[in-house]
Amino acid sequence: MDIAKLFSLEGRTALVTGGSRGIGKMIVEGLLSAGCRKVYISARKEDQIAAAVEHFGDRVVGIPMDISTVEGCKALAAAISEHEEKLDILVNNAGAAWGTDFDEFPEAGWDRAMDLNVKSPFFLTQALHQLLNNAASTEQPAKVINIGSIDGMRLNPWETYSYHASKAAILWLTKRMAARLIQDNIIVTAIAPGAFASDMNKAARDAGDAVAQSIPARRIGEAEDMAAAAIYLASRAGDYVIGETLTVDGGLVHADTRTSIAG
Protein backbone atom coordinates (compact mmCIF):
# COMPACT_ATOMS: atom_id res chain seq x y z
CA MET A 1 0.00 0.00 0.00
CA ASP A 2 1.48 3.31 -1.16
CA ILE A 3 0.38 5.83 1.47
CA ALA A 4 1.88 8.79 -0.35
CA LYS A 5 -0.05 7.91 -3.49
CA LEU A 6 -3.21 7.27 -1.47
CA PHE A 7 -3.34 10.91 -0.37
CA SER A 8 -1.75 12.47 -3.44
CA LEU A 9 -3.54 15.02 -5.64
CA GLU A 10 -0.68 15.16 -8.11
CA GLY A 11 -1.65 16.81 -11.38
CA ARG A 12 -5.27 17.56 -10.47
CA THR A 13 -7.18 20.78 -11.01
CA ALA A 14 -9.45 22.30 -8.37
CA LEU A 15 -11.80 25.21 -7.77
CA VAL A 16 -12.35 26.54 -4.25
CA THR A 17 -15.04 29.18 -3.88
CA GLY A 18 -14.35 31.68 -1.15
CA GLY A 19 -10.75 30.53 -1.41
CA SER A 20 -9.08 33.83 -0.63
CA ARG A 21 -9.40 33.69 3.16
CA GLY A 22 -10.47 31.67 6.19
CA ILE A 23 -11.36 28.02 5.78
CA GLY A 24 -11.21 28.30 1.99
CA LYS A 25 -7.62 29.52 2.13
CA MET A 26 -6.71 26.64 4.47
CA ILE A 27 -8.13 24.19 1.96
CA VAL A 28 -6.28 25.81 -0.94
CA GLU A 29 -3.01 25.44 0.94
CA GLY A 30 -3.75 21.78 1.55
CA LEU A 31 -4.66 21.04 -2.07
CA LEU A 32 -1.48 22.69 -3.29
CA SER A 33 0.66 20.82 -0.77
CA ALA A 34 -0.92 17.53 -1.88
CA GLY A 35 0.11 18.17 -5.47
CA CYS A 36 -2.67 19.97 -7.32
CA ARG A 37 -1.23 21.46 -10.48
CA LYS A 38 -3.70 24.36 -10.48
CA VAL A 39 -6.21 25.72 -7.97
CA TYR A 40 -8.74 28.33 -9.04
CA ILE A 41 -10.24 30.52 -6.35
CA SER A 42 -13.22 32.84 -6.45
CA ALA A 43 -14.49 35.60 -4.19
CA ARG A 44 -16.40 38.84 -4.54
CA LYS A 45 -13.58 41.18 -3.50
CA GLU A 46 -10.79 41.65 -6.01
CA ASP A 47 -8.27 42.86 -3.42
CA GLN A 48 -8.68 39.66 -1.39
CA ILE A 49 -8.27 37.57 -4.54
CA ALA A 50 -5.12 39.46 -5.49
CA ALA A 51 -3.63 39.05 -2.01
CA ALA A 52 -4.29 35.30 -2.02
CA VAL A 53 -2.78 34.84 -5.48
CA GLU A 54 0.30 36.80 -4.42
CA HIS A 55 0.57 34.63 -1.30
CA PHE A 56 0.25 31.28 -3.07
CA GLY A 57 2.01 31.93 -6.36
CA ASP A 58 1.38 31.00 -9.98
CA ARG A 59 -0.37 27.69 -9.29
CA VAL A 60 -3.36 29.68 -8.02
CA VAL A 61 -5.63 31.60 -10.39
CA GLY A 62 -8.11 34.09 -8.99
CA ILE A 63 -11.49 34.86 -10.57
CA PRO A 64 -13.51 37.62 -8.87
CA MET A 65 -17.17 36.60 -8.93
CA ASP A 66 -20.37 36.92 -6.92
CA ILE A 67 -21.91 33.44 -7.01
CA SER A 68 -24.95 34.23 -4.88
CA THR A 69 -27.01 34.17 -8.11
CA VAL A 70 -27.46 31.48 -10.74
CA GLU A 71 -26.05 33.90 -13.31
CA GLY A 72 -22.92 34.30 -11.20
CA CYS A 73 -22.52 30.52 -10.93
CA LYS A 74 -22.83 30.15 -14.69
CA ALA A 75 -20.36 32.99 -15.27
CA LEU A 76 -17.77 31.38 -12.99
CA ALA A 77 -18.21 28.03 -14.72
CA ALA A 78 -17.79 29.72 -18.09
CA ALA A 79 -14.61 31.43 -16.89
CA ILE A 80 -13.15 28.10 -15.74
CA SER A 81 -14.12 26.53 -19.08
CA GLU A 82 -12.00 29.11 -20.90
CA HIS A 83 -8.91 27.66 -19.21
CA GLU A 84 -9.71 24.01 -18.48
CA GLU A 85 -11.30 21.09 -20.29
CA LYS A 86 -11.90 19.22 -17.04
CA LEU A 87 -12.17 19.87 -13.31
CA ASP A 88 -11.13 17.20 -10.81
CA ILE A 89 -12.17 18.88 -7.55
CA LEU A 90 -14.83 21.44 -6.67
CA VAL A 91 -14.96 22.82 -3.12
CA ASN A 92 -18.15 24.77 -2.48
CA ASN A 93 -16.86 26.85 0.40
CA ALA A 94 -18.19 30.39 -0.11
CA GLY A 95 -20.72 31.21 2.57
CA ALA A 96 -22.49 33.91 4.52
CA ALA A 97 -23.91 34.31 8.02
CA TRP A 98 -26.50 36.67 9.45
CA GLY A 99 -27.53 37.18 13.05
CA THR A 100 -30.40 39.39 14.18
CA ASP A 101 -33.11 39.32 16.84
CA PHE A 102 -36.12 37.20 15.86
CA ASP A 103 -38.53 40.13 15.69
CA GLU A 104 -36.17 42.13 13.49
CA PHE A 105 -34.71 39.41 11.26
CA PRO A 106 -34.86 40.76 7.68
CA GLU A 107 -35.64 39.10 4.38
CA ALA A 108 -32.22 40.20 3.13
CA GLY A 109 -30.56 38.25 5.92
CA TRP A 110 -32.58 35.18 5.05
CA ASP A 111 -31.91 35.38 1.32
CA ARG A 112 -28.19 36.14 1.64
CA ALA A 113 -27.44 33.05 3.72
CA MET A 114 -29.76 30.69 1.87
CA ASP A 115 -28.60 31.86 -1.56
CA LEU A 116 -24.88 31.57 -0.89
CA ASN A 117 -24.93 28.56 1.44
CA VAL A 118 -27.47 26.35 -0.35
CA LYS A 119 -28.46 27.62 -3.78
CA SER A 120 -24.96 28.41 -5.01
CA PRO A 121 -23.37 25.00 -4.27
CA PHE A 122 -26.16 23.32 -6.23
CA PHE A 123 -26.18 25.60 -9.25
CA LEU A 124 -22.40 25.95 -9.45
CA THR A 125 -22.05 22.16 -9.41
CA GLN A 126 -24.74 21.97 -12.07
CA ALA A 127 -22.92 24.55 -14.21
CA LEU A 128 -19.62 22.66 -13.81
CA HIS A 129 -21.16 19.23 -14.32
CA GLN A 130 -19.64 18.72 -17.76
CA LEU A 131 -16.12 19.68 -16.65
CA LEU A 132 -16.42 17.36 -13.64
CA ASN A 133 -17.75 14.64 -15.92
CA ASN A 134 -14.78 15.10 -18.23
CA ALA A 135 -12.41 14.43 -15.33
CA ALA A 136 -14.31 11.56 -13.76
CA SER A 137 -13.67 7.85 -14.16
CA THR A 138 -14.21 4.73 -12.11
CA GLU A 139 -10.49 4.62 -11.35
CA GLN A 140 -10.29 8.33 -10.42
CA PRO A 141 -13.65 9.93 -9.60
CA ALA A 142 -14.13 13.67 -9.64
CA LYS A 143 -14.90 15.19 -6.23
CA VAL A 144 -17.36 17.79 -4.97
CA ILE A 145 -16.90 18.88 -1.36
CA ASN A 146 -19.54 21.09 0.23
CA ILE A 147 -18.51 23.09 3.28
CA GLY A 148 -21.28 23.03 5.86
CA SER A 149 -20.96 23.74 9.57
CA ILE A 150 -21.60 22.08 12.89
CA ASP A 151 -24.35 24.70 13.17
CA GLY A 152 -26.26 22.50 10.75
CA MET A 153 -26.05 19.72 13.35
CA ARG A 154 -26.43 21.55 16.67
CA LEU A 155 -27.46 24.96 18.01
CA ASN A 156 -25.17 27.87 18.68
CA PRO A 157 -26.15 30.56 21.21
CA TRP A 158 -26.87 33.25 18.61
CA GLU A 159 -30.00 34.09 16.60
CA THR A 160 -28.62 33.03 13.23
CA TYR A 161 -31.86 31.65 11.81
CA SER A 162 -31.03 31.52 8.12
CA TYR A 163 -27.48 30.34 8.79
CA HIS A 164 -28.68 27.41 10.91
CA ALA A 165 -31.30 26.50 8.32
CA SER A 166 -28.91 26.78 5.40
CA LYS A 167 -26.17 24.71 7.01
CA ALA A 168 -28.63 21.95 7.88
CA ALA A 169 -29.92 22.08 4.32
CA ILE A 170 -26.51 21.75 2.66
CA LEU A 171 -25.81 18.52 4.56
CA TRP A 172 -28.98 16.94 3.18
CA LEU A 173 -28.42 18.46 -0.25
CA THR A 174 -25.01 16.76 -0.19
CA LYS A 175 -26.69 13.37 0.18
CA ARG A 176 -29.18 14.04 -2.60
CA MET A 177 -26.49 15.30 -4.98
CA ALA A 178 -24.28 12.34 -4.08
CA ALA A 179 -27.02 9.88 -5.01
CA ARG A 180 -27.33 11.40 -8.48
CA LEU A 181 -23.74 12.28 -9.32
CA ILE A 182 -22.17 8.97 -8.32
CA GLN A 183 -23.80 7.69 -11.52
CA ASP A 184 -21.25 9.88 -13.32
CA ASN A 185 -18.32 8.86 -11.11
CA ILE A 186 -18.55 12.20 -9.28
CA ILE A 187 -18.37 11.80 -5.51
CA VAL A 188 -20.11 14.41 -3.35
CA THR A 189 -19.29 14.80 0.34
CA ALA A 190 -19.34 17.57 2.95
CA ILE A 191 -17.20 18.93 5.76
CA ALA A 192 -18.80 20.41 8.88
CA PRO A 193 -16.19 22.63 10.53
CA GLY A 194 -16.34 23.70 14.13
CA ALA A 195 -14.35 26.59 15.60
CA PHE A 196 -11.72 27.83 13.15
CA ALA A 197 -10.34 31.35 13.23
CA SER A 198 -11.88 33.33 10.38
CA ASP A 199 -13.79 36.51 9.61
CA MET A 200 -17.00 34.49 9.80
CA ASN A 201 -16.09 33.00 13.18
CA LYS A 202 -14.86 36.08 14.99
CA ALA A 203 -15.16 34.39 18.38
CA ALA A 204 -12.59 31.77 17.42
CA ARG A 205 -10.45 34.39 15.72
CA ASP A 206 -10.44 36.97 18.50
CA ALA A 207 -10.90 34.81 21.62
CA GLY A 208 -9.57 31.40 20.63
CA ASP A 209 -8.32 30.49 24.10
CA ALA A 210 -11.71 31.19 25.66
CA VAL A 211 -13.60 29.31 22.94
CA ALA A 212 -11.23 26.35 23.37
CA GLN A 213 -12.46 25.83 26.93
CA SER A 214 -15.82 24.58 25.61
CA ILE A 215 -14.29 22.16 23.08
CA PRO A 216 -13.46 18.58 24.14
CA ALA A 217 -10.11 18.74 22.31
CA ARG A 218 -9.34 21.93 24.31
CA ARG A 219 -8.27 23.93 21.26
CA ILE A 220 -9.75 25.56 18.19
CA GLY A 221 -9.09 24.14 14.74
CA GLU A 222 -5.84 24.81 12.91
CA ALA A 223 -5.16 25.11 9.19
CA GLU A 224 -3.70 21.58 9.09
CA ASP A 225 -6.93 20.13 10.49
CA MET A 226 -9.03 21.58 7.70
CA ALA A 227 -6.44 20.90 5.00
CA ALA A 228 -6.16 17.25 6.08
CA ALA A 229 -9.94 16.75 5.90
CA ALA A 230 -10.12 18.22 2.42
CA ILE A 231 -7.14 16.21 1.16
CA TYR A 232 -8.66 13.00 2.53
CA LEU A 233 -11.98 13.51 0.78
CA ALA A 234 -10.43 14.80 -2.45
CA SER A 235 -7.84 12.03 -2.79
CA ARG A 236 -7.95 8.28 -3.47
CA ALA A 237 -8.16 7.84 0.31
CA GLY A 238 -11.74 9.13 0.25
CA ASP A 239 -13.01 7.38 -2.89
CA TYR A 240 -15.32 5.04 -0.96
CA VAL A 241 -16.86 7.84 1.13
CA ILE A 242 -20.00 9.06 -0.63
CA GLY A 243 -22.68 11.46 0.62
CA GLU A 244 -21.04 11.61 4.05
CA THR A 245 -20.36 14.66 6.21
CA LEU A 246 -16.97 14.73 7.92
CA THR A 247 -17.26 16.63 11.19
CA VAL A 248 -14.06 18.52 12.02
CA ASP A 249 -14.78 20.24 15.32
CA GLY A 250 -12.60 18.88 18.13
CA GLY A 251 -15.47 16.76 19.45
CA LEU A 252 -18.24 19.33 20.00
CA VAL A 253 -20.93 17.44 18.13
CA HIS A 254 -20.04 13.83 18.87
CA ALA A 255 -17.89 13.85 21.99
CA ASP A 256 -19.31 16.54 24.28
CA THR A 257 -21.26 15.08 27.20
CA ARG A 258 -22.29 18.44 28.61
CA THR A 259 -25.85 19.59 28.14
CA SER A 260 -25.09 23.31 27.90
CA ILE A 261 -24.51 24.98 24.55
CA ALA A 262 -20.89 25.82 23.91
CA GLY A 263 -20.14 29.48 23.37
Side-chain angles (χ1 to χ4, degrees):
M1 187 177 294
D2 188 337
I3 297 299
K5 186 176 181 180
L6 196 61
F7 290 92
S8 173
L9 299 175
E10 191 70 32
R12 300 191 201 184
T13 303
L15 166 62
V16 181
T17 66
S20 62
R21 59 180 183 161
I23 283 174
K25 191 174 181 181
M26 298 174 194
I27 291 173
V28 171
E29 184 174 2
L31 298 181
L32 292 171
S33 297
C36 276
R37 71 166 188 87
K38 188 76 68 177
V39 178
Y40 291 85
I41 62 174
S42 71
R44 287 187 303 148
K45 297 181 179 179
E46 293 188 20
D47 58 334
Q48 293 178 354
I49 286 281
V53 170
E54 182 178 1
H55 172 77
F56 285 120
D58 58 9
R59 287 164 61 200
V60 171
V61 177
I63 303 176
M65 191 70 66
D66 181 357
I67 59 168
S68 62
T69 65
V70 176
E71 291 74 18
C73 292
K74 290 180 177 178
L76 178 55
I80 299 293
S81 298
E82 291 178 4
H83 301 281
E84 304 291 341
E85 294 182 353
K86 64 179 183 176
L87 183 67
D88 298 285
I89 303 161
L90 168 61
V91 181
N92 287 310
N93 167 73
W98 200 294
T100 308
D101 180 77
F102 177 79
D103 291 322
E104 300 175 358
F105 203 93
E107 183 179 9
W110 186 268
D111 291 346
R112 178 64 180 164
M114 295 298 288
D115 285 351
L116 200 54
N117 299 351
V118 185
K119 184 172 76 174
S120 293
F122 178 82
F123 283 103
L124 182 58
T125 305
Q126 183 190 69
L128 288 166
H129 187 198
Q130 188 58 60
L131 288 187
L132 291 163
N133 228 339
N134 292 347
S137 66
T138 304
E139 294 75 23
Q140 185 174 297
K143 301 294 182 73
V144 176
I145 303 171
N146 296 323
I147 305 302
S149 168
I150 61 169
D151 288 357
M153 309 168 82
R154 66 189 292 278
L155 290 175
N156 69 42
W158 304 287
E159 295 187 83
T160 53
Y161 298 99
S162 56
Y163 185 74
H164 267 106
S166 67
K167 290 304 185 179
I170 191 61
L171 302 186
W172 281 98
L173 181 59
T174 294
K175 295 177 184 294
R176 181 60 260 180
M177 291 170 64
R180 166 60 183 87
L181 294 181
I182 191 58
Q183 300 172 34
D184 301 324
N185 294 312
I186 300 169
I187 293 175
V188 185
T189 55
I191 297 173
F196 284 80
S198 68
D199 289 345
M200 187 173 291
N201 192 333
K202 294 182 175 62
R205 183 193 67 188
D206 300 336
D209 290 343
V211 171
Q213 300 307 308
S214 64
I215 299 173
R218 297 184 297 282
R219 65 175 177 86
I220 65 170
E222 300 174 353
E224 290 85 353
D225 299 313
M226 187 51 55
I231 292 168
Y232 164 59
L233 293 176
S235 68
R236 168 64 185 88
D239 280 2
Y240 210 53
V241 179
I242 301 170
E244 184 59 83
T245 296
L246 180 59
T247 309
V248 186
D249 70 343
L252 267 173
V253 171
H254 298 300
D256 190 355
T257 60
R258 293 165 295 182
T259 58
S260 61
I261 297 173

